[in-house]
């Protein structure tokens, strides 16, 4: 491609590619796709996005095409790879200037350079880092310095992410060479920012803060990934110790800057980045972090659990501090071995520091503060309860939410501290419970919120409190009374108490108290408040899903509770809530099994409507499939009455040509198999959906075993009719399958053929005869295992103990 002549043509095509008119856009995209492999194309793109006079959208598109081209054509071994000569020219052109005026394009160019650096630096591109450092240090203006620093960060970030041993060594060499420079750059911009913010020069302070943020990002990657034994590097440990002082300075700055301003937002982002440096270093280098344990605990505890943090802390910072405390408390490297003599010196040192810090008064204060301050429902949460009760009731608190959200973070920290220091904290919590014994003033919101918080703590710590709380007596003497207070403001406590019971069900709850609990559940399922009803349903699931569940105790309440569950399913409108209620219904049906038959009529009528309404919500449809599985098992042979709804659902869920199968396949196959298991006889419609099986067998996925079970079920139900309709396609599928699957899979195929021969010897032998020669060759050659069900250690026919085939 002639660069000078092609520039105008490519520019015109890129301009068309930014059009909203598809008749102009599509041909332009196709033309650009054809040029991707043409020599010189990326040099033209470089010229275009470096030309600041051109339209921003065109330049943006040129950068994106260049960036995508790196992934596809930059490696030497890639098809249509760029020539070494062109790559040399491109590398030189990418770092000739750092003066991009548009922030978004500057970021994309920095990412683009980092992608090239990942593949070529330092061997093919040794000049990259020196040029970046020189531009950062001696840039002609603030813009050039910022763009070079931005690029330096993205290059550092990308190189630090490489995980091969040789790449790690190269990054460590780089880190040791530039660490001093990075530290001085960070320190310079930080001091400049602090001076400017004190002088109330917010515009200049913003520019310095941006450079502080970028240089800190560089230091984070160098510190965490650039040193094998960072504790032996004075500069690294000096930087980490300086982080605490800088954090205090930046938090003090929060008092001077209005909340909501751009500068405050950037300042908070920088504060969070400082905490990430500590958290990352702790995660990757726990032993090197030991000298920092004392400072970290003093800093985090003072800002989160004492008045020091008042007026300067914000939610995300509190979460980060709590995570720092949690990781130190929980870290196995900071605990002695069971046999003290086997402990490493560093383990004992860390344990000694923690023991000295977590004194009785400190733990007491942390425990009380967690419960009495951080466990209290906030104004935002109470507003959500009133305005969006379903979102409040099913708010996600699982997974990694504790890393980012305050409530799950406080609860996880409470549990970890309680687990490690339960001997100290148990009397503290029990004292808080005792102080709330008896009725409280429903007009006093503070008392209500405090009782809710304390009950929350007792529920979370249920396993830790096993030996200290007589829950059965507490349930009878106090909790039942709490549930009988019908005042509308007391819904906080009704909801919390039924949740609390759910937490203790599997810990300590006498079996003979279950009927009393079912009466409570029956009452609360009719509570005026939706959140209370949803929480009650969740506790019901925990109750029936427990090892101590006895069906005979539950049967007197089954009809009423099941009816109320169905009402709740109809009342809620959000997908997540419907899924949650469906899981409860599924669990109840599964546990009572066939005794559910008299009560499922309404549910059977409602599920087709719900299936139709959930067309855009595949996860809800998964919940419906699970419910149908248990429903079919509960109804047994009577499930044939569901076929007009059931079979189209199975058909859709197992059709690999339809997009929903990605979500529905596993549950759909289980439903298909359960339907066959409980079918009194084959029907034409049930036979017809086997047309989906050939494509499923081609997938050879983890669902193959279920597919074989389905085939076997058809063979047992109606061997003649099934084989006449599908043996030919099944035989072809098996022939293809045997080439690609493991020995275990081949044995499963042969078991299916064995069943076919047993249930219909003449027809089976005729239908599968084309498969048998290949099978026998495989067996003789030792490629296919013995299909017999016996525990045979040999391959047929060598096994003398196996009569299969004789």
């Amino acid at each position: 491609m002639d660069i000078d002549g092609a520039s105008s043509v490519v520019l015109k095509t890129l301009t068309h590619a930014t059009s909203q008119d598809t008749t102009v856009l599509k041909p332009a995209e196709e033309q650009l796709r054809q040029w991707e492999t043409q020599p010189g194309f990326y040099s033209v793109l470089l010229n275009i996005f470096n030309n600041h006079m051109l339209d921003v959208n065109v330049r943006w598109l040129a950068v994106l095409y260049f960036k995508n081209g790196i992934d596809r054509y930059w490696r030497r071994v890639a098809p249509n790879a760029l020539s070494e000569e062109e790559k040399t020219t491109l590398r030189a052109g990418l770092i000739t200037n750092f003066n991009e005026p548009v922030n978004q394009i500057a970021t994309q160019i920095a990412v683009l350079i980092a992608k090239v650096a990942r593949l070529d630096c330092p061997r093919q591109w040794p000049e990259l880092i020196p040029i970046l450092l020189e531009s950062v240090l001696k840039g002609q203006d603030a813009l050039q310095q910022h763009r070079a620093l931005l690029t330096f960060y993205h290059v550092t970030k990308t190189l630090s992410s490489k995980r091969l041993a040789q790449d790690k060594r190269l990054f460590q060499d780089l880190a040791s060479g530039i660490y001093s420079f990075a530290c001085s750059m960070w320190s310079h911009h930080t001091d400049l920012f602090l001076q400017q913010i004190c002088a109330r020069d917010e515009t200049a302070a913003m520019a310095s803060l941006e450079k502080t943020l970028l240089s800190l990002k560089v230091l984070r990657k160098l510190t965490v990934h650039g040193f094998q034994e960072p504790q032996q590097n004075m500069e690294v440990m000096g930087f980490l110790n300086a982080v605490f002082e800088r954090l205090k300075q930046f938090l003090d700055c929060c008092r001077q800057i209005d909340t909501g301003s751009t500068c405050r937002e950037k300042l908070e982002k920088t504060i969070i980045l400082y905490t990430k440096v500590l958290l990352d270093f702790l995660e990757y280098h726990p032993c090197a972090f030991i000298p920092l344990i004392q400072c970290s605990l003093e800093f985090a505890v003072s800002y989160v659990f004492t008045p020091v943090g008042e007026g300067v802390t914000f939610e995300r910072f509190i979460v980060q501090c709590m995570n720092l405390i949690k990781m130190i408390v929980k870290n196995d490297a900071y605990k002695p071995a069971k046999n003290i003599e086997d402990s490493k010196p560093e383990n004992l040192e860390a344990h000694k520091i923690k023991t000295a810090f977590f004194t009785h008064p400190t733990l007491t204060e942390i425990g009380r503060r967690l419960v009495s301050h951080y466990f209290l429902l906030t104004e935002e949460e109470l507003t959500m309860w009133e305005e969006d009760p379903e979102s409040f009731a099913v708010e996600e608190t699982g997974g990694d939410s504790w890393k980012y959200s305050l409530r799950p973070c406080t609860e996880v920290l409470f549990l970890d501290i309680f687990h490690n220091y339960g001997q100290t904290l148990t009397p503290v919590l029990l004292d808080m419970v005792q102080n709330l014994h008896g009725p409280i003033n429903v007009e006093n919101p503070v008392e209500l919120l405090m009782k809710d918080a304390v009950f929350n703590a007792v529920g979370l710590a249920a396993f830790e409190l096993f030996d200290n709380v007589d829950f059965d007596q507490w349930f009878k003497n106090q909790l039942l009374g709490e549930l009988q207070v019908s005042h509308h403001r007391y819904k906080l406590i009704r909801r919390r108490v039924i949740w609390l019971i759910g937490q203790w069900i599997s810990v300590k709850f006498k079996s003979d108290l279950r009927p009393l609990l079912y009466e409570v559940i029956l009452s609360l399922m009719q509570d005026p408040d939706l959140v209370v009803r949803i929480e009650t349903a969740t506790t019901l699931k925990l109750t029936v899903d427990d090892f101590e569940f006895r069906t005979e105790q539950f049967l007197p309440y089954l009809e009423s509770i099941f009816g109320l569950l169905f009402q709740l399913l109809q009342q809620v409108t959000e997908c997540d809530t419907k899924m949650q209620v469906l899981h409860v219904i599924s669990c109840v049906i599964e546990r009572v099994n066939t005794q559910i038959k008299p009560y499922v009529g309404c549910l059977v009528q409602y599920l087709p409507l719900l299936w139709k309404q959930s067309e855009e919500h595949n996860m809800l449809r998964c919940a419906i499939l699970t419910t149908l599985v248990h429903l079919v098992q509960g109804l047994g042979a009577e499930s044939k009455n569901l076929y007009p709804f059931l079979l189209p659902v199975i058909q859709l869920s197992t059709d690999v040509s339809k997009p929903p199968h990605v979500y529905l396949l596993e549950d759909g196959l289980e439903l298909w198999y359960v339907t066959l298991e409980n079918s009194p006889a084959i029907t034409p419609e049930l036979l017809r959906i086997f047309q989906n099986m050939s494509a499923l067998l081609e997938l050879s996925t983890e669902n193959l075993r279920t597919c074989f079970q389905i085939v076997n079920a058809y063979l047992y139900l109606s061997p003649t009719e099934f084989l006449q309709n599908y043996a030919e396609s099944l035989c072809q599928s098996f022939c293809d399958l045997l080439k690609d699957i493991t020995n275990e899979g081949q044995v499963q195929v042969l078991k299916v053929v064995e069943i076919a021969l047993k249930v219909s010897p003449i027809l089976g032998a005729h239908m599968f005869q084309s498969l048998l020669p290949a099978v026998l060759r495989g067996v003789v050659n030792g490629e296919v295992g013995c299909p017999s069900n016996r525990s045979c250690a040999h391959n047929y026919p060598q096994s003398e103990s196996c009569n299969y085939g004789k």
Side-chain angles (χ1 to χ4, degrees):
M1 184 177 278
D2 175 26
I3 294 175
D4 294 330
S7 289
S8 59
V9 180
V10 174
L11 179 59
K12 184 178 179 181
T13 308
L14 282 168
T15 305
H16 288 165
T18 62
S19 171
Q20 299 296 314
D21 184 351
T22 54
T23 60
V24 176
L25 171 69
K26 293 295 181 185
E29 287 182 335
E30 182 56 37
Q31 181 62 74
L32 289 166
R33 198 174 295 115
Q34 291 175 17
W35 283 337
E36 281 180 0
T37 56
Q38 292 294 310
F41 176 60
Y42 295 95
S43 298
V44 173
L45 291 178
L46 177 65
N47 290 340
I48 289 172
F49 68 70
N50 273 341
N51 187 342
H52 304 161
M53 304 299 291
L54 298 176
D55 178 73
V56 169
N57 293 322
V58 172
R59 295 174 58 230
W60 170 270
L61 199 57
V63 174
L64 292 185
Y65 269 93
F66 194 119
K67 195 171 73 170
N68 293 337
I70 295 168
D71 294 330
R72 294 171 188 159
Y73 310 116
W74 199 274
R75 293 178 188 274
R76 283 197 298 265
V77 295
N80 303 304
L82 276 72
S83 68
E84 291 301 317
E85 293 76 17
E86 184 172 5
K87 287 198 289 186
T88 301
T89 305
L90 292 171
R91 284 193 294 260
L94 284 170
I95 52 175
T96 51
N97 53 63
F98 297 99
N99 58 353
E100 172 54 55
V102 181
N103 271 325
Q104 292 90 335
I105 294 179
T107 301
Q108 290 301 319
I109 293 173
V111 171
L112 182 158
I113 291 171
K115 280 179 174 287
V116 177
R118 184 179 183 86
L119 300 172
D120 290 357
C121 186
R123 291 187 181 86
Q124 288 81 31
W125 207 2
E127 68 273 20
L128 173 63
I129 300 297
I131 286 176
L132 287 174
L133 295 180
E134 185 178 3
S135 300
V136 169
L137 197 59
K138 301 177 182 177
Q140 295 173 355
D141 54 39
L143 179 68
Q144 190 177 45
Q145 283 186 331
H146 177 272
R147 299 314 190 218
L149 184 52
L150 178 68
T151 307
F152 185 36
Y153 159 60
H154 280 285
V155 168
T156 308
K157 177 184 177 183
T158 300
L159 294 180
S160 72
S161 67
K162 299 178 79 173
R163 288 291 171 260
L164 294 178
Q166 187 178 10
D167 293 326
K168 283 184 175 181
R169 282 194 296 273
L170 285 171
F171 186 72
Q172 287 166 6
D173 291 341
L174 170 67
S176 60
I178 66 173
Y179 199 82
S180 293
F181 170 82
C183 277
S184 62
M185 178 175 61
W186 160 74
S187 187
H188 167 71
H189 291 306
T190 304
D191 288 337
L192 204 56
F193 163 73
L194 292 170
Q195 291 166 16
Q196 289 161 343
I197 207 71
C198 285
R200 302 286 182 180
D201 186 353
E202 198 163 310
T203 304
M206 270 293 287
S208 296
L209 185 57
E210 174 65 23
K211 290 174 186 173
T212 301
L213 186 62
L214 285 172
S215 53
L216 184 57
K217 285 180 176 181
V218 171
L219 268 177
R220 177 189 176 194
K221 296 301 177 185
L222 295 177
T223 303
V224 175
H225 301 291
F227 300 90
Q228 201 162 2
E229 294 183 334
Q231 67 271 32
Q232 295 180 7
N233 187 297
M234 296 287 289
E235 281 189 302
V236 171
M237 299 311 290
F239 162 68
L240 288 166
N241 278 294
V243 163
F244 297 102
E245 188 56 39
R246 292 303 196 185
L247 263 170
K248 290 173 185 174
Q249 291 172 336
F250 275 57
L251 285 162
D252 284 341
C253 285
C254 288
R255 299 184 196 276
Q256 304 173 42
I257 301 172
D258 294 335
T259 306
S261 70
T262 310
C263 191
R264 174 63 179 255
E265 186 181 332
K266 185 76 73 176
L267 181 60
E268 289 185 359
K269 195 173 181 181
T270 310
I271 290 168
I272 293 304
L273 186 58
Y274 275 116
T275 62
K276 285 180 179 178
V277 171
L278 296 173
L279 286 165
D280 285 358
F281 194 75
L282 172 55
E283 181 181 352
Y284 285 92
H285 304 286
C287 290
F289 193 87
I290 290 173
L292 303 169
I293 291 177
Q294 182 75 24
C295 290
S296 299
L297 289 174
E298 286 175 355
F299 174 84
V301 169
S302 66
Y303 274 95
V304 176
F305 296 109
T306 74
V308 171
E310 289 177 8
V312 296
T313 57
F314 50 97
E315 184 171 316
R316 187 71 203 282
F317 172 71
I318 293 170
V319 169
Q320 293 290 92
C321 286
M322 286 187 175
N323 287 338
L324 190 59
I325 299 168
K326 168 193 158 53
M327 285 178 68
I328 292 171
V329 167
K330 199 176 180 182
N331 204 307
D332 289 334
Y334 301 158
K335 297 175 182 176
K338 287 186 179 178
N339 187 355
I340 298 293
E341 288 75 19
D342 297 334
S343 301
K344 296 177 181 177
E346 56 267 30
N347 298 145
L348 293 173
E349 174 65 19
H351 181 65
K352 181 181 175 184
I353 296 168
K354 282 167 55 182
T355 304
F357 180 82
F358 286 113
T359 60
H360 189 283
T362 301
L363 285 169
T364 301
E365 183 58 32
I366 290 174
R368 286 191 179 277
R369 183 95 170 146
L370 275 170
V371 177
S372 64
H373 181 75
Y374 291 106
F375 277 17
L376 297 180
L377 289 171
T378 64
E379 283 295 328
E380 291 84 355
E381 288 171 320
L382 293 171
T383 301
M384 183 189 282
W385 185 324
E386 296 300 331
E387 295 178 358
D388 190 3
E390 291 185 45
S391 294
F392 177 87
V394 298
E395 192 174 10
E396 180 57 52
T397 56
D400 284 344
S401 60
W402 59 269
K403 291 181 180 178
Y404 316 104
S405 301
L406 185 57
R407 179 159 298 282
C409 173
T410 56
E411 292 179 351
V412 168
L413 176 62
F414 173 80
L415 272 174
D416 285 330
I417 290 184
F418 210 97
H419 178 71
N420 284 274
Y421 302 102
Q423 198 170 358
T424 302
L425 289 175
T426 296
V428 175
L429 183 55
L430 294 180
D431 181 57
M432 295 179 84
V433 173
Q434 189 60 38
N435 290 339
L436 291 169
H437 187 70
I440 61 174
N441 181 6
V442 294
E443 302 297 334
N444 187 335
V446 176
E447 287 187 27
L448 286 170
L449 290 172
M450 184 59 73
K451 180 169 273 195
D452 174 82
V454 172
F455 283 178
N456 185 18
V458 176
L460 291 171
F463 284 98
E464 308 295 337
L465 294 171
F466 179 87
D467 293 322
N468 302 96
V469 174
D470 186 341
F471 191 78
D472 297 328
Q473 288 300 316
W474 196 34
F475 171 71
K476 289 186 292 185
N477 296 340
Q478 183 179 353
L479 298 182
L480 281 176
E482 304 278 5
L483 292 172
Q484 288 161 13
V485 180
S486 59
H487 195 283
H488 73 279
R489 287 184 182 169
Y490 217 72
K491 64 187 179 183
L492 268 71
I493 308 304
R494 293 197 299 275
R495 173 249 182 182
R496 180 58 71 191
V497 169
I498 197 64
W499 171 87
L500 171 64
I501 294 167
Q503 303 309 297
W504 277 84
I505 278 291
S506 59
V507 178
K508 199 178 200 180
F509 197 86
K510 281 184 182 174
S511 182
D512 52 2
L513 288 176
R514 295 293 175 108
L516 190 54
L517 175 56
Y518 297 139
E519 288 178 15
V520 166
I521 288 172
L522 187 56
S523 171
L524 290 180
M525 285 293 293
Q526 302 169 72
D527 194 275
D529 187 78
L530 180 58
V531 172
V532 175
R533 297 199 299 276
I534 293 170
E535 198 65 72
T536 304
T538 305
T539 294
L540 172 64
K541 182 180 184 296
L542 294 169
T543 306
V544 300
D545 205 23
D546 182 58
F547 180 76
E548 294 288 330
F549 175 76
R550 300 287 179 267
T551 308
E552 63 276 8
Q553 289 180 318
F554 184 61
L555 285 179
Y557 308 93
L558 176 58
E559 181 178 5
S560 301
I561 287 179
F562 196 82
L564 291 166
L565 275 175
F566 177 64
Q567 283 181 28
L568 183 60
L569 180 63
Q570 291 178 298
Q571 288 163 358
V572 296
T573 57
E574 298 292 328
C575 272
D576 287 347
T577 327
K578 284 189 179 291
M579 283 170 56
Q580 188 164 318
V581 178
L582 272 173
H583 286 316
V584 180
I585 289 173
S586 294
C587 191
V588 170
I589 295 172
E590 182 185 17
R591 294 313 300 266
V592 301
N593 209 322
T594 56
Q595 293 176 93
I596 198 65
K597 287 181 184 179
Y599 316 118
V600 294
C602 292
L603 180 65
V604 166
Q605 291 175 14
Y606 176 67
L607 285 178
L609 174 63
L610 185 58
W611 180 265
K612 188 175 180 181
Q613 290 173 342
S614 62
E615 192 170 354
E616 302 298 320
H617 306 284
N618 288 308
M619 298 312 294
L620 177 53
R621 285 195 158 184
C622 287
I624 296 171
L625 287 171
T626 304
T627 304
L628 285 170
V629 167
H630 296 309
L631 196 54
V632 169
Q633 289 172 323
L635 291 172
E638 291 178 24
S639 61
K640 67 180 186 298
N641 298 324
L642 295 179
Y643 284 5
F645 166 55
L646 204 58
L647 301 189
V649 166
I650 296 171
Q651 165 73 35
L652 175 69
S653 304
T654 60
D655 186 347
V656 297
S657 68
K658 302 286 175 61
H661 89 274
V662 175
Y663 303 93
L664 308 180
L665 182 57
E666 187 174 349
D667 294 312
L669 284 170
E670 187 180 359
L671 179 59
W672 191 355
Y673 177 57
V674 167
T675 300
L676 289 166
E677 263 193 325
N678 290 276
S679 178
I682 207 79
T683 67
E685 295 78 16
L686 193 53
L687 193 62
R688 195 175 300 123
I689 59 174
F690 194 79
Q691 294 169 357
N692 286 357
M693 186 55 72
S694 293
L696 290 167
L697 292 173
E698 278 180 35
L699 291 177
S700 300
T701 63
E702 65 275 4
N703 296 310
L704 210 51
R705 188 180 295 274
T706 311
C707 290
F708 290 150
Q709 290 176 322
I710 289 168
V711 175
N712 291 341
Y714 274 105
L715 284 169
Y716 286 128
L717 265 176
S718 182
T720 303
E721 193 175 1
F722 172 68
L723 289 171
Q724 285 172 344
N725 280 276
Y726 293 109
E728 186 177 342
S729 63
L730 195 60
C731 185
Q732 183 58 51
S733 294
F734 282 175
C735 285
D736 296 336
L737 202 55
L738 284 171
K739 301 171 189 173
D740 301 322
I741 56 177
T742 62
N743 282 351
E744 185 185 354
Q746 291 169 347
V747 170
Q748 295 301 319
V749 171
L750 296 185
K751 284 180 179 178
V752 176
V753 176
E754 179 183 12
I755 290 168
L757 293 171
K758 284 180 176 178
V759 296
S760 184
I762 297 172
L763 192 58
H766 174 69
M767 293 294 187
F768 286 105
Q769 62 180 340
S770 61
L771 178 70
L772 294 178
V775 170
L776 291 172
R777 279 197 303 274
V779 170
V780 171
N781 295 330
E783 295 167 359
V784 179
C786 173
S788 170
N789 285 322
R790 298 170 180 82
S791 300
C792 174
H794 307 282
N795 284 336
Y796 168 74
Q798 290 94 329
S799 170
E800 295 178 3
S801 63
C802 180
N803 294 317
Y804 181 83
K806 292 186 180 179

